[in-house]
Amino acid sequence: QVQVVESGGGLVQAGGALRLACTASGVTIDGRAMGWFRQAPGKEREAVSCTSRSGSVFVDSVTGRFTISRENAKNTLYLQMNGLKPEDTAMYYCAASQYVECSASWSYSGRYGYWGQGTQVTVSS
């Protein structure tokens, strides 16, 4: 049984930082593309980042502030979020892709077969 579990969300002031973690079981993150998505109230789910062996990509709004990394030995993916802004407030979801690489279609949610339940990030102004 596949499980993807996010953690690390919380309430932080603007300019602060959080590190989200995503631990998977029943599926190996090594050798597959892994992504982070977010959804703010009243908005559509948005792709934030994807990482694979060939590199990582980010949505423009977080480039330079967020980094993504993985610790394969722990089967865990991380999203380091620095310089947080109120507009970063959202539920953040981790997703494991059935593909090896992120590709130009990395932001398409259909490329990810396994999803976590999300962790809430709230940034106060």
Side-chain angles (χ1 to χ4, degrees), residues 27-28 32-35 50 95-101 111-114:
V27 63
T28 302
R32 71 173 68 234
M34 296 291 297
C50 179
S97 176
Q98 54 269 40
Y99 298 97
V100 173
E101 299 295 342
R111 290 183 61 86
Y112 302 84
Y114 306 107

Side-chain angles (χ1 to χ4, degrees), residues 80-101:
Q80 178 67 44
M81 307 185 295
N82 299 328
L84 283 162
K85 303 176 180 180
E87 51 264 44
D88 295 318
T89 294
M91 185 72 78
Y92 282 71
Y93 298 90
C94 173
S97 176
Q98 54 269 40
Y99 298 97
V100 173
E101 299 295 342

Side-chain angles (χ1 to χ4, degrees), residues 4 11 20 33 37 47 55-57 68 77 79 83 86 93 99 110:
V4 177
L11 173 65
L20 306 184
F37 288 72
S56 302
V57 292
I68 190 171
L77 178 74
L79 183 69
Y93 298 90
Y99 298 97

Side-chain angles (χ1 to χ4, degrees), residues 101-124:
E101 299 295 342
C102 294
S103 86
S105 303
W106 69 274
S107 62
Y108 173 51
S109 60
R111 290 183 61 86
Y112 302 84
Y114 306 107
W115 292 80
Q117 294 299 306
T119 186
Q120 178 67 40
V121 172
T122 302
V123 184
S124 63

Side-chain angles (χ1 to χ4, degrees), residues 12-52:
V12 64
Q13 288 188 332
L18 284 173
R19 188 176 79 156
L20 306 184
C22 165
T23 301
S25 59
V27 63
T28 302
I29 71 168
D30 187 18
R32 71 173 68 234
M34 296 291 297
W36 285 99
F37 288 72
R38 65 185 180 185
Q39 187 167 20
K43 294 188 177 181
E44 293 188 353
R45 187 172 294 188
E46 174 189 37
V48 175
S49 180
C50 179
T51 186
S52 63

